[in-house]
Amino acid sequence: MKQLQKWFFSVMIAVSVLAWSGMAQAAERATKEEAVAMVKKAVAFYKANGREKSLAAFSDQAGQFRDRELFLIVLDPKGTAVAHTALKKMIGVNIMDLKDQNGVEIIKSFYKAVEKGNSGWSAEYTFINPATQQLEPKLTYVEKVDDLLIACGYHFLKTK
């Protein structure tokens, strides 16, 4: 009986720690509003500073356009990344045909989001959250400026 109580106590502590860390992690997650704000900040920076300075700033991994899992992807009209805050090796790579594990055409959905206006939301897709290193659902907010798309997505957990 004493062994069972000790085991139960250990399990309860572990569950409490996991629940607490999950709540802390949820509180630190970026929000839909923060993704929109990041794009709006980038658009304002672009308009104030021009293309060359902006693309350099948007590609700075330690700069003002990176916050938790929020980062920018800037695409030219053909789907080539011209700036990427999270992965510099993606700059210069055409990612137009990028799909998630479910076949969602991620980048094509960015272009579709701005077909009827200069801004919109991508289709829902699954991608690795750089903050948690887990595959999670994601939506990306996109704005068109000149011939570029400036995009920032946020990850969310689906409730059952």
Side-chain angles (χ1 to χ4, degrees):
M1 183 68 167
K2 200 169 203 176
Q3 186 70 15
L4 183 60
Q5 287 176 327
K6 189 175 183 181
W7 175 83
F8 181 76
F9 182 70
S10 297
V11 169
M12 291 308 294
I13 288 174
V15 169
S16 297
V17 168
L18 287 173
W20 180 83
S21 66
M23 288 186 293
Q25 185 178 16
E28 294 172 10
R29 284 184 170 275
T31 66
K32 184 177 191 175
E33 294 78 16
E34 289 172 318
V36 172
M38 181 71 78
V39 171
K40 300 236 178 252
K41 177 180 171 181
V43 168
F45 188 93
Y46 180 90
K47 289 179 178 178
N49 295 285
R51 188 180 190 108
E52 188 176 328
K53 185 175 181 179
S54 296
L55 294 180
F58 299 160
S59 297
D60 181 0
Q61 293 180 325
Q64 63 179 315
F65 297 101
R66 181 79 190 257
D67 178 18
R68 293 161 289 166
E69 76 259 27
L70 297 177
F71 59 88
L72 296 177
I73 299 175
V74 182
L75 301 160
D76 74 7
K78 295 183 179 183
T80 298
V82 294
H84 199 299
T85 313
L87 294 170
K88 281 195 181 259
K89 67 181 178 181
M90 296 301 292
I91 299 170
V93 176
N94 186 295
I95 55 174
M96 183 64 88
D97 294 325
L98 181 66
K99 294 180 184 179
D100 77 355
Q101 65 187 24
N102 301 311
V104 175
E105 296 178 312
I106 298 168
I107 304 305
K108 287 179 182 173
S109 82
F110 292 7
Y111 287 89
K112 189 172 181 130
V114 296
E115 279 180 351
K116 295 180 182 169
N118 285 330
S119 66
W121 287 95
S122 71
E124 182 182 313
Y125 59 99
T126 303
F127 213 76
I128 294 176
N129 181 333
T132 65
Q133 296 299 307
Q134 300 295 314
L135 279 174
E136 296 176 355
K138 185 173 184 178
L139 287 169
T140 295
Y141 179 73
V142 185
E143 283 198 22
K144 186 174 182 183
V145 181
D146 294 338
D147 66 336
L148 300 176
L149 295 188
I150 299 176
C152 181
Y154 77 102
H155 294 267
F156 58 95
L157 297 176
K158 290 188 176 188
T159 56
K160 295 179 183 178

